[in-house]
Amino acid sequence: EAIDKIAEYSIQMNDKIENIGARRLATVIEEVLRDVMYDAPSDIKGEFIVDEKYVDEKIQTKIKKENLANYIL
């Protein structure tokens, strides 16, 4: 479900802002995984699950707080 949700947000943003194709997908994925990539301690091993709810929280919060133009590369 998370992959479908990421694709859905990418399509919506391409339709509403500017169609930049797969670059939009990369931007959305980066936003969803930002905390994991930069804030997760490197010495802790374990599993991190990205589900539909997590994607919604990350993207909807970002959309509400920032101008959508920030997603344009």
Side-chain angles (χ1 to χ4, degrees):
E1 293 96 16
I3 293 171
D4 290 341
K5 194 54 117 172
I6 289 169
E8 180 182 316
Y9 279 123
S10 299
I11 292 167
Q12 287 176 3
M13 289 179 190
N14 271 341
D15 288 343
K16 292 181 180 180
I17 302 170
E18 179 183 4
N19 189 348
I20 58 173
R23 289 177 289 171
R24 177 80 61 205
L25 179 61
T27 303
V28 172
I29 290 171
E30 181 179 350
E31 186 60 41
V32 169
L33 298 177
R34 184 176 312 250
D35 292 342
V36 177
M37 291 188 302
Y38 297 110
D39 295 336
S42 60
D43 58 344
I44 296 177
K45 304 295 182 214
E47 191 174 279
F48 185 83
I49 297 174
V50 176
D51 59 8
E52 184 178 7
K53 181 180 175 186
Y54 183 81
V55 172
D56 279 337
E57 289 172 2
K58 289 299 186 183
I59 299 300
Q60 287 181 2
T61 301
K62 192 74 170 175
I63 289 171
K64 289 177 184 176
K65 288 184 178 180
E66 293 185 15
N67 183 342
L68 286 175
N70 291 333
Y71 287 95
I72 298 174
L73 296 176

